[in-house]
């Protein structure tokens, strides 16, 4: 007969605890009710008062591809996230390694040999890039998923199939664009990457863009937009608004839009992505005549 409470032996308690861990139990319930709303209120009252935010720098009003003047969103410049010293050293090593690369192939080989990012040890393959490296259009996504990790190519799963259809809708395909991600390795279980992982990989995607030298960037999703535009403004405020990404010594026109994976979860938002694609196509048509 199973026993519980004070009648349990230490061995039985250890076995029960092990079962709970394997079953994924994360919270324990007591015999007495707990008012968790009151606990939340108490925690809020005891929380430290946040420091005042520094004043935002003035933003330049830019013209959209149709020549209409529209103010950009009040983007907030993201402060560098504090990361452990070991990760900061890895990010510095990444900066040095990336700067030494003079070709895309050298960058690929450097990434394949780089040991400073823990993601490489849980991923099956390096996901470097796909498409035409001679194209003037570069798409930058967030991180590889399961299918991308297995094949070593970006955007080959369900979100990649949707991306292909999105490109086809404006007369593009993978022979006319170049595709990469801010992270070249899949986070285990598709979890959210840590600030340290982003900081370590940032020099590589920036060097990737420098070497590819695109004429325009299409930023897929909030992660790539925030990283490359150095802002903490959300993607719903950034999307559809032309801006400039400062990469190295170059200013590159950039248009943030919604990630295909998000559109699979929220099909109603495809109408917003379609507007962004129309704006992107208009930019391409106007600049191709120059």
């Amino acid at each position: 007969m199973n026993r519980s409470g004070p009648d349990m032996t230490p061995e039985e308690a250890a076995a029960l605890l092990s079962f709970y861990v394997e079953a994924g139990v994360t919270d324990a319930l007591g015999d007495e009710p707990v008012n968790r709303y009151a606990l939340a209120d108490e925690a809020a009252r005891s929380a430290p008062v946040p420091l005042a935010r520094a004043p935002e720098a003035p933003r330049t009003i830019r013209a959209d591809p149709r020549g209409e003047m529209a103010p950009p969103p009040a983007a907030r410049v993201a402060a560098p996230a504090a990361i452990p010293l070991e990760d900061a050293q890895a990010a510095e090593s990444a900066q040095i390694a990336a700067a030494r690369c003079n070709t895309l192939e050298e960058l690929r080989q450097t990434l394949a040999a780089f040991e400073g990012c823990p993601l490489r040890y849980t991923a099956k393959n390096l996901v470097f890039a796909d498409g035409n490296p001679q194209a003037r259009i570069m798409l930058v996504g967030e991180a590889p998923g399961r299918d991308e990790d297995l094949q070593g190519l970006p955007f080959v799963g369900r979100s990649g199939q949707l991306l292909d259809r999105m490109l086809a809708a404006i007369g593009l395909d993978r022979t006319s664009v170049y595709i990469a991600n801010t992270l070249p390795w899949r986070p285990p279980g598709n979890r959210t990457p840590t600030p340290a992982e982003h900081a370590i990989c940032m020099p590589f995607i920036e060097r990737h863009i420098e070497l590819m030298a695109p004429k325009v960037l299409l930023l897929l999703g909030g992660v790539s937009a925030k990283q490359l535009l150095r802002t903490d403004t959300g993607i719903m405020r950034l999307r559809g608004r032309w801006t400039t990404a400062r990469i190295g010594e170059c200013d590159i026109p950039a248009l943030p839009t919604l990630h295909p994976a998000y559109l699979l979860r929220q099909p109603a938002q495809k109408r917003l992505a379609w507007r962004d694609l129309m704006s992107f196509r208009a930019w391409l048509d106007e600049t191709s005549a120059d």
Side-chain angles (χ1 to χ4, degrees):
M1 178 175 180
N2 292 332
R3 293 185 296 171
S4 61
D7 294 332
M8 296 179 66
T9 66
E11 292 77 12
E12 290 172 332
L16 181 60
L17 180 60
S18 177
F19 169 76
Y20 285 156
V21 171
E22 293 177 0
V25 175
T26 59
D27 296 287
L29 299 179
D31 295 329
E32 298 296 328
V34 177
N35 187 341
R36 300 192 182 276
Y37 292 104
L39 293 177
D41 292 340
E42 181 179 350
R45 287 193 297 270
S46 62
V49 178
L51 297 176
R53 184 184 299 276
E56 298 175 358
R59 298 295 298 263
T60 301
I61 294 178
R62 302 182 183 278
D64 73 6
R66 296 175 296 280
E68 300 172 355
M69 300 302 293
R76 300 181 298 272
V77 177
I83 60 176
L85 177 60
E86 182 179 352
D87 293 324
Q89 293 172 339
E92 184 178 357
S93 297
Q95 185 75 49
I96 296 172
R100 291 174 178 168
C101 299
N102 295 311
T103 66
L104 290 174
E105 183 55 33
E106 286 182 11
L107 183 64
R108 180 196 294 271
Q109 293 175 5
T110 297
L111 268 171
F114 185 72
E115 298 180 349
C117 183
L119 291 178
R120 66 160 294 164
Y121 299 104
T122 56
K124 295 184 180 298
N125 287 295
L126 169 71
V127 180
F128 185 70
D130 193 21
N132 180 5
Q134 304 302 319
R136 64 174 182 147
I137 305 168
M138 184 171 183
L139 281 59
V140 182
E142 301 176 357
R146 177 181 178 276
D147 294 314
E148 289 76 15
D149 184 37
L150 291 174
Q151 298 187 40
L153 292 171
F155 287 96
V156 293
R158 290 184 62 220
S159 63
Q161 296 167 12
L162 176 56
L163 178 62
D164 288 340
R165 295 195 295 271
M166 293 167 64
L167 292 174
I170 56 172
L172 301 174
D173 58 27
R174 297 200 182 212
T175 66
S176 54
V177 302
Y178 185 77
I179 309 173
N181 284 313
T182 56
L183 295 178
W185 296 286
R186 179 199 183 197
N190 286 351
R191 66 160 171 76
T192 301
T194 66
E197 290 161 352
H198 278 303
I200 294 170
C201 294
M202 186 66 171
F204 291 115
I205 186 58
E206 287 191 318
R207 189 59 179 157
H208 203 152
I209 296 172
E210 284 184 289
L211 293 173
M212 198 273 171
K215 299 299 182 184
V216 65
L217 291 168
L218 185 63
L219 306 179
L220 303 172
V223 172
S224 60
K226 290 181 180 181
Q227 288 285 109
L228 296 176
L229 299 179
R230 293 174 176 81
T231 179
D232 60 2
T233 301
I235 186 60
M236 297 307 291
R237 295 189 65 195
L238 290 174
R239 57 141 294 272
R241 297 176 181 267
W242 284 90
T243 185
T244 299
R246 180 72 174 178
I247 307 296
E249 299 299 319
C250 298
D251 290 330
I252 305 175
L255 181 67
T257 190
L258 302 174
H259 196 284
Y262 173 78
L263 297 177
L264 289 173
R265 299 191 301 270
Q266 301 288 339
Q269 303 295 1
K270 290 181 180 180
R271 58 186 178 84
L272 299 179
W274 177 244
R275 294 175 191 170
D276 300 344
L277 292 176
M278 290 294 94
S279 178
F280 193 73
R281 181 70 257 182
W283 187 95
L284 294 176
D285 292 340
E286 290 187 11
T287 56
S288 64
D290 294 341

